[in-house]
Amino acid sequence: MNRILKAVICFIVLSLGARAQEIPQIGNVLSREKISLNGNWNYIVDVQEEGYYDYRMNPTSWGFFLNSKPQRPEDLIEYDFDKAPQMQIPSDWNTKDERLFFYEGTVWFKKSFNYKKKQDKKVILYFSAVNYEAYVYLNGKLLGRHEGGFTAFNYDVTDKIKDGENFVIVKVDNKRKAENVPTQIFDWWNYGGITRDVFLVETQDVYIENYCFTLKKVQNTKQKFREIAFSVNLNQKLSGKTVEISFPELKLKQSYVTDSDGKISGVIKAKTLELWSPENPKLYAAELTLGNTTIKDEIGFRTIETKDKKIILNGKPIFLRGISIHEEKPNGGGRANSVEDAEKLLGWAKELGCNFVRLAHYPHNEYMVRTAEKMGLLVWSEIPVYWTIAWENPATLQNAKNQLKDMILRDQNRANVIIWSIANETPHGQARENFLSQLAQYAKNLDSTRLISMAMEVTSASNFHNKLQDNMNKYVDVISFNQYIGWYRDVNDAPKMTWEIPYNKPVIISEFGGGAKYGYHGEKNQRWTEEFQENLYIQNIAMLDKIDGFAGTTPWILKDFRSPRRVLNDIQDYYNRKGLFSDNGEKKKAFYIMKSWYEKKKQDWE
Ligand code: GCB
């Protein structure tokens, strides 16, 4: 066979395989019966993708994914995973290997493990996130290709896993590309690797794939009970299967039988129900049983809606005292990926007086959202449709939709998540509107119970009059925009500014702020000093308070974070310095301005 034909066949096989085994994301992986594949993985840095392409740039069928070993002394095999260094997974390679600090490209990871096959068990290989593109192989066979660095994906490996020794190989590539989501440029570190947990989930052949509980709004004030709407779906369209739902504390237990789509849905009536709120983050133990498998969760109940320019939580207007957060460990530690990281970051947000966090600019790990729920922090969750996305590219739209769907499917039972945000600071134009309106509608179809927003930009009407004009206004429930008066524009303009938001919807200022290097002091007009940032906050909060419909804000940002765009020596050193905390957790002066303003807001609104 000639080389080209061979390459074409190989490519077709690889791309067909790419779709073959990926299955819909299973909900609540943390409560499933599973084996962790976290720990040491061997890795090979492959700058020219030698392990994937031949010297004519055709995908090979003899790449690194085979994990080949010489069989005879004369055999030529130019790689050996077992001699390669190891990296602790989950993590990012940038902070784990100093050679890879700025690296963007391909790294291959391999994990060998022993497995004891069990009768009648399905086995699912679950990745909580890999940034950015992953080709996943089990025992040398391709399971699939996944794109998108912050959402979970999983493969049914029942037929490919063996009794005894197995190996998983993942080719991870974090090269930035124009058609990706996010695109080529973004203001955060492009941490590469298997950045979140990896699990082997063991389940029955027929299993509960996902489920959703939501509290219905009270229709009639005389109503003596609350209604919990639920839906559960199996992994197969099988009728006649019994699913039991139980909330022990509410003394509710009921069995339902699946329809021909393998689904159950309905309403549970609860006479007494304590609602979840930031002041009382009440969660109820929930159990869903199919056959001899029970999935356990903790479910909170609350309602969220808007009325004119107000955000209404559990029937009462709320002011969202927020902060934006990147998913990054303190002390230069790279990607955050644990409960401890979440507790630390969210603990700082609580110290600031927050009841709300904007998890920017991509879906954060599940620990972050669940920990926030336990701590009474409402959440804005977003996908990385950021800046100059390839609006005209259908594959980019599909990719954004996939990320949106996977974000929603993972967190649809979290009471604290109230806003799905579909974009950040995107440039106006018809192609962008086609793209974003489809995303907004898709989000509403997937989840009509939460609010949709996006971080817009203000187009100035005149020098000191800012008017928000964005055709996307009709697709969102909450109008949000970023503004940087005091940083990208003179701070002395703040008192003179007037604002016009010509839509009858609540307004969140999704970003404002400015940079300061912790410990650098001077006059308030001296850039990068804590005094400069402090004054900027004083001026901004006075200005924001005058905005009609002002319902909350998430200043930029909780802590300094790494960004390759921030190159100023001795000040930035590859950190965006807009944190209220330094990367080491020291509080800058502006922290105290914000904290005392939030204390006052709390008094005014409660
Ligand atoms: C923004 C972006 C955010 C940047 C920030 C900045 O508007 O949304 O990702 O980090 O400005 O610091 O300039």
Side-chain angles (χ1 to χ4, degrees), residues 213 228 230 242-256 264 267-270 285-289 294:
F213 293 98
I228 303 165
F230 69 88
T242 302
V243 176
E244 186 191 85
I245 298 179
S246 144
F247 287 95
E249 194 184 331
L250 293 169
K251 300 196 172 45
L252 292 169
K253 189 194 258 194
Q254 180 81 44
S255 291
Y256 306 86
I264 59 166
V267 167
I268 299 170
K269 290 183 179 165
E287 295 179 0
L288 294 96
T289 304
T294 297

Side-chain angles (χ1 to χ4, degrees), residues 7-242:
V8 169
I9 293 173
C10 178
F11 187 74
I12 292 170
V13 170
L14 289 175
S15 34
L16 282 179
R19 261 163 278 148
Q21 314 276 329
E22 186 160 349
I23 53 170
Q25 185 192 151
I26 48 171
N28 191 5
V29 72
L30 297 174
S31 135
R32 309 267 177 168
E33 201 178 309
K34 61 190 177 305
I35 297 163
S36 169
L37 291 186
N38 292 346
N40 283 332
W41 290 52
N42 295 88
Y43 68 101
I44 298 175
V45 181
D46 187 10
V47 178
Q48 295 203 2
E49 296 178 89
E50 162 73 12
Y52 190 79
Y53 295 110
D54 68 14
Y55 78 131
R56 299 281 186 240
M57 271 305 276
N58 296 313
T60 71
S61 52
W62 56 88
F64 290 2
F65 44 86
L66 293 180
N67 189 29
S68 301
K69 303 280 175 195
Q71 301 301 313
R72 300 166 308 165
E74 63 268 36
D75 284 351
L76 174 67
I77 296 187
E78 294 184 90
Y79 69 96
D80 185 347
F81 276 105
D82 297 313
K83 291 200 174 123
Q86 295 195 322
M87 194 180 293
Q88 182 72 23
I89 297 299
S91 65
D92 58 89
W93 63 59
N94 315 74
T95 59
K96 288 292 164 298
D97 180 338
E98 63 184 32
R99 295 174 305 161
L100 302 182
F101 185 62
F102 287 106
Y103 182 67
E104 296 182 314
T106 284
V107 178
W108 294 82
F109 290 88
K110 189 215 71 163
K111 172 104 184 152
S112 296
F113 61 95
N114 265 301
Y115 186 71
K116 177 96 203 79
K117 272 199 126 173
K118 296 163 193 114
Q119 273 231 313
D120 305 327
K121 283 273 182 190
K122 208 180 241 318
V123 190
I124 296 170
L125 177 58
Y126 183 99
F127 289 87
S128 309
V130 175
N131 190 42
Y132 169 87
E133 179 199 61
Y135 280 85
V136 181
Y137 305 83
L138 180 64
N139 298 328
K141 302 264 171 6
L142 180 71
L143 300 175
R145 167 184 178 270
H146 182 267
E147 201 180 339
F150 304 97
T151 41
F153 56 101
N154 45 206
Y155 303 100
D156 180 350
V157 296
T158 318
D159 298 338
K160 292 205 167 59
I161 201 157
K162 295 188 301 200
D163 219 24
E165 178 91 352
N166 291 269
F167 61 93
V168 191
I169 288 186
V170 189
K171 174 186 183 293
V172 184
D173 186 354
N174 73 337
K175 275 195 287 301
R176 289 167 295 110
K177 293 183 186 155
E179 68 274 19
N180 288 358
V181 181
T183 180
Q184 242 157 349
I185 53 166
F186 44 89
D187 189 19
W188 66 86
W189 207 264
N190 186 19
Y191 290 116
I194 303 176
T195 50
R196 296 184 189 161
D197 298 325
V198 188
F199 299 122
L200 267 184
V201 177
E202 296 180 317
T203 160
Q204 294 162 294
D205 196 38
V206 179
Y207 58 88
I208 293 175
E209 184 179 279
N210 216 335
Y211 54 89
C212 183
F213 293 98
T214 47
L215 184 65
K216 291 180 115 186
K217 284 163 201 143
V218 178
Q219 303 298 347
N220 155 2
T221 45
K222 294 204 187 99
Q223 193 176 306
K224 296 244 163 35
F225 50 82
R226 296 298 303 240
E227 291 182 316
I228 303 165
F230 69 88
S231 64
V232 180
N233 67 291
L234 307 181
N235 62 320
Q236 293 179 36
K237 294 191 174 185
L238 279 180
S239 60
K241 295 279 172 191
T242 302

